[in-house]
Amino acid sequence: MRGDERSGLGEYLRHHRSQLAPLDRPGVSPLSHRRVPGLRRQELADIAGISVEYYTRLEQGRAARPSREILASLARAFRLSNAERDHLFRLAGERPPPSRAPATEIRPGLQQLLDGLNDVMPVTVHDGRLDVLAFNTAAADLFGPLFDDGSYGRNIAYQAFTATGLDKVLGNVGAEQLARVATAELRKALSHYPEDEYLRSLFRELSTSNPEFDRHWQKGEIGTWSSAMKHVNHPTQGPLTFDSEMLHDPENDHWVMLFTPHHT
């Protein structure tokens, strides 16, 4: 590592060590007198499973480039968030480790947002594997049942190619747009979670049984459409138009989709 990289890494380690209270260390008395905040280097090194001499050199910017295994141990010892862990790896000149899977539950504050917007707009939340995690009452009313009992019943990509009546709800143009976007999103998900067996199995299911999916897949598109206009044929309210906007919670890899009624 260059000198500036070593200095940045050492400063980052010192900062996070100072944020760990002695109470977080098993067996340490809360009455222990500390002249400086945080854990001692020896305590942190013990938690991380490395020698205190090597850890000290890391903080002082005198150590050679740490291995990915040591960086992972330090991230666990500091109990870093995914974003903090990724920054640690970058400071050490390493590519951040691939994400294992998105969070399975949404944050309580996000659930409050969904509930608070019931009388304002439909809102849905799906994860980085394209599984719908939550939706408010307005979204349920707009789209009808969002799940079925199948293995991929919560998955947007699967529903885009297997759900019946999509052309009636979205129109032919809207159903084609959903299929295109869902395929591009699935390609991105497979790139982000290359070892995820759920996504790999979903891809095998669609690619072997659905010619329409294969047609879209061959286009090679990848990415996220953050904004779009959507037309919905509601069974009682008739044709409706919405401006959709997607917001991302990167820590949990959750996507919030807001459907704002479009007024001409």
Side-chain angles (χ1 to χ4, degrees), residues 30-51:
L31 300 179
S32 298
H33 178 68
R34 300 278 175 137
R35 289 180 296 175
V36 294
L39 294 182
R40 296 188 176 98
R41 286 172 176 164
Q42 180 68 65
E43 295 168 338
L44 195 284
D46 288 346
I47 297 173
I50 61 178
S51 73

Side-chain angles (χ1 to χ4, degrees), residues 148 150-153 155-163 182 202 205-206:
D148 65 28
S151 301
Y152 312 107
N155 192 272
I156 296 171
Y158 185 77
Q159 296 291 357
F161 290 98
T162 63
L202 170 61
E205 171 76 15
L206 290 174

Side-chain angles (χ1 to χ4, degrees), residues 167 170-179 231:
D167 55 340
L170 302 177
N172 291 330
V173 174
E176 176 73 8
Q177 180 193 53
L178 175 61
H231 302 279

Side-chain angles (χ1 to χ4, degrees), residues 92-104:
E94 290 284 347
R95 180 176 298 178
S99 302
R100 294 182 179 178
T104 57

Side-chain angles (χ1 to χ4, degrees), residues 1 6 54-66:
M1 291 189 297
R6 289 195 294 267
Y54 180 67
Y55 177 76
T56 299
R57 293 199 303 273
L58 283 173
E59 278 201 0
Q60 295 175 346
R62 297 187 295 109
R65 183 170 177 168

Side-chain angles (χ1 to χ4, degrees), residues 29 126 129-130 141 166 188 195 197 229 234 236 247 255 261:
S29 168
H126 65 270
R129 299 197 302 182
L130 303 180
D141 177 68
L166 276 180
K188 185 185 72 173
E195 303 302 321
E197 185 52 38
M229 182 176 291
H234 195 274
T236 60
L247 308 176
W255 295 85

Side-chain angles (χ1 to χ4, degrees), residues 98-247:
S99 302
R100 294 182 179 178
T104 57
E105 296 182 359
I106 68 171
R107 294 182 286 108
L110 191 51
Q111 184 62 59
Q112 292 178 1
L113 173 67
L114 266 68
D115 297 338
L117 292 176
N118 263 329
D119 297 327
V120 180
M121 67 178 69
V123 185
T124 65
V125 180
H126 65 270
D127 65 18
R129 299 197 302 182
L130 303 180
D131 278 350
V132 176
L133 300 177
F135 51 90
N136 64 1
T137 304
D141 177 68
L142 179 64
F143 297 112
L146 296 176
F147 303 143
D148 65 28
D149 296 328
S151 301
Y152 312 107
R154 294 173 176 263
N155 192 272
I156 296 171
Y158 185 77
Q159 296 291 357
F161 290 98
T162 63
T164 58
L166 276 180
D167 55 340
K168 294 180 180 179
V169 176
L170 302 177
N172 291 330
V173 174
E176 176 73 8
Q177 180 193 53
L178 175 61
R180 176 188 175 190
V181 171
T183 306
E185 291 277 4
L186 180 57
R187 189 186 296 272
K188 185 185 72 173
L190 284 163
S191 175
H192 195 60
Y193 300 107
E195 303 302 321
D196 190 285
E197 185 52 38
Y198 171 82
L199 286 172
R200 295 166 72 171
S201 176
L202 170 61
F203 173 74
R204 289 193 296 268
E205 171 76 15
L206 290 174
S207 60
T208 57
S209 65
N210 198 292
E212 275 299 294
F213 172 77
D214 188 63
R215 176 174 70 86
H216 283 280
W217 186 263
Q218 295 305 320
K219 296 178 182 178
E221 294 182 302
I222 183 171
T224 298
W225 278 254
S226 298
S227 303
M229 182 176 291
K230 296 188 180 294
H231 302 279
V232 178
N233 297 314
H234 195 274
T236 60
Q237 300 180 45
L240 301 173
T241 302
F242 295 88
D243 293 311
S244 66
E245 188 73 25
M246 282 215 295
L247 308 176

